[in-house]
Amino acid sequence: MSLKKEDLEYFNRRIFENKKFWNRLGGEPDLKGKTVLDVGCGHGGLCVDMAAADAKKVVGVDLERERILFAKENLRLNYPQYTGIVEFYEIDLKDYDAGEQFDYIVSKDSFEHIIDLPGMMEEMKRRLKPGGLLYVGFGPLYNDYYGDHKRTECIIPWGHVLFSDEKIIKRLNKNKQTPIQSIIELGVNQLSLADYRRIFKESGFEMTFFKVNASNNLILRTFDLISWIFPFLKEYFAHNIYAIFKKMS
Ligand SMILES: C[S@@+](CC[C@H](N)C(=O)[O-])C[C@H]1O[C@@H](n2cnc3c(N)ncnc32)[C@H](O)[C@@H]1O
């Protein structure tokens, strides 16, 4: 299998963002000799980077076949030095039996796509060593300006929250061969900032770091200012979440 140019370009863009991911979480942890699970690994860019940072073992799991096929082939062709360290699986985490618990779990830009997030966090907890850490960063949140990832095809920012789900589904179904019944079928979980806060609180993890709108980006600083002046608008100006969780012993 040869790698498509557009997939390689996408992979390289994602690799470029890894530094930002760790910076927003306060810096990359020391991965030397550690075992790491990446949930929603996509094309595998973070996995390869973590192997380069001397992790002992890195496992990437994702539901999308094409992404995992790319990740495996890219590893074979372009990163043969990490074969035996990095593994990729197209699998639902609940069906993945690692046979061991990991030091760290990471999930980059995936939580907003995971439909059963409480169930996923439970599965993550089971696969972490006591005291192990879960690093998470993701966005945009659903109520943000393009929090639908433009999948509802609303052309104006916040259009997907201004119109009812029923109206959006009716419009989308006019052009679809297989009609959808709900927005989550578009691959976004529709969770609000308040939902995430509740799910994290109830997850049974100890949350050691939590930041909304992590970035020095001027737009996000403006969002924070708007949320501070008009607290009732906070939901709509929450763009991303970066958080670290510890599995209690
Ligand atoms: C925006 S991509 C991010 C990929 C990668 N982490 C990166 O930063 O390049 C989101 C990924 O989450 C995956 N995903 C969504 N729900 C998932 C689930 N329940 N389990 C595993 N992966 C999931 C998707 O297939 C997709 O590859």
Side-chain angles (χ1 to χ4, degrees), residues 26 49 61 69 90 95 104 115 118 120 135 152 161 173 177 182 194 240:
D49 256 8
V61 297
L69 285 176
E90 177 208 345
D95 301 321
Y104 299 136
I115 308 303
M120 174 60 89
Y135 292 86
T152 65
V161 288
N173 281 346
Q177 281 185 335
S182 68
N240 63 35

Side-chain angles (χ1 to χ4, degrees), residues 120-135:
M120 174 60 89
M121 290 188 80
E122 202 49 46
E123 294 294 338
M124 288 173 156
K125 209 182 327 146
R126 282 182 47 212
R127 286 161 184 81
L128 261 184
K129 289 179 185 172
L133 298 175
L134 163 61
Y135 292 86

